[in-house]
Amino acid sequence: MQPTVFVSYCREKREDVRRLVDVLEEYEVTVWWDQNQKAGDIWMERITKNISSNDFFLLCLSTELEKNIDSFVFNELKQAISVKHTQSTEGNWIIPVMLDSLNLDHIPSFRIDAKQELKDIHWMPLFGKSWDDGIDEILRLILPDFTIRPKMVLIPPLNYSNPTDGEASIRPFLIGKYPVTLGEWRAVIKTDPNSTIKKMRPCGGDPNHPVAQISWDDVRRFLFILNHNEPGERYRLPTEAEWEFACRAGSTGDYGFEGGPSRLSEYAWYEGNSEGKTHCVGQCLPNAWGLFDMHGNVCEWVQDTIETPPRTKTHSGLEAVTKGGSFDGYAEEHCQITDRTELTTIATHPNLGFRLARNVECS
């Protein structure tokens, strides 16, 4: 059974809240906010009834409410606390949301229960660059089976000249806006491969760093679980041709942007600017199609494999291709569009990650 959510907010932030409600309803969450109010309703009776019948109370606060203890929002919060106390509710039923950069020190003191005040609860930032991550965090709290909500970019169809295979035809497909992050990996696999990296500890525990130290076989396991959790969403790795096409983004040179290696620091974390470590995704400039970190941060596994003679007891004779530069890659040796590496499918390294792809008909 899908959860139900009561949303409390001030009218100055109606459009921001509408965006939030639209996302929740996309996931079939039942939302009550003042748009549900009916003519003739007695306001406080209706508020009390809906607070008591909903599973979660989203408290959306903004600078307009700093120190304004008499606002409707705080009156609704008081009512929610009173109702939930009578119901002996346990768990994170209240979810405080920041709709802008309000100062939490200016928020009036409210005791939620015997153990915590409102200020003690983890707040969800839901503005600017924090929007997507905040939405994901809210969905994880209210939907027990929620895993991740990858940000995908639609790549158009086109016939183009592939330096390796000659003329190639690319059907439209979706590809990840960023490499898969550690936070997304944890949500699906429940492990932290970045924490196993000892040498220079180049991949931090920040959930917005790209996941690394994973093999091609590890990625297959991730995709199996992700597709099981998200019926109809058949995620996969991009092919090498798709990856190159998406990275090129209509450009004709060795990089997916104008200016060549002299501008690589603007678009990628590589040996010249990374300080020997990964960085949070999306901090450098995107290419013309809105894709980040294609030339650096971590190399990316793609779908293509090569049959080779077994070389060791652990080498099965199957190798997979990686594309893109990484935090320890050199500009003109590892970071160009056509650069590629072939590694055994069980290989792991601090600079190895991946990004998702999906057929358009699966969206």
Side-chain angles (χ1 to χ4, degrees), residues 271-292:
E271 181 274 338
N273 66 352
S274 71
E275 299 181 344
K277 60 185 179 181
T278 60
H279 293 260
C280 292
V281 301
Q283 292 189 326
C284 294
L285 293 177
N287 70 10
W289 288 348
L291 301 176
F292 292 82

Side-chain angles (χ1 to χ4, degrees), residues 179-194:
V180 171
T181 65
L182 176 60
E184 291 171 329
W185 181 274
R186 286 172 180 163
V188 176
I189 300 293
K190 317 300 183 189
T191 62
D192 185 351
N194 288 22

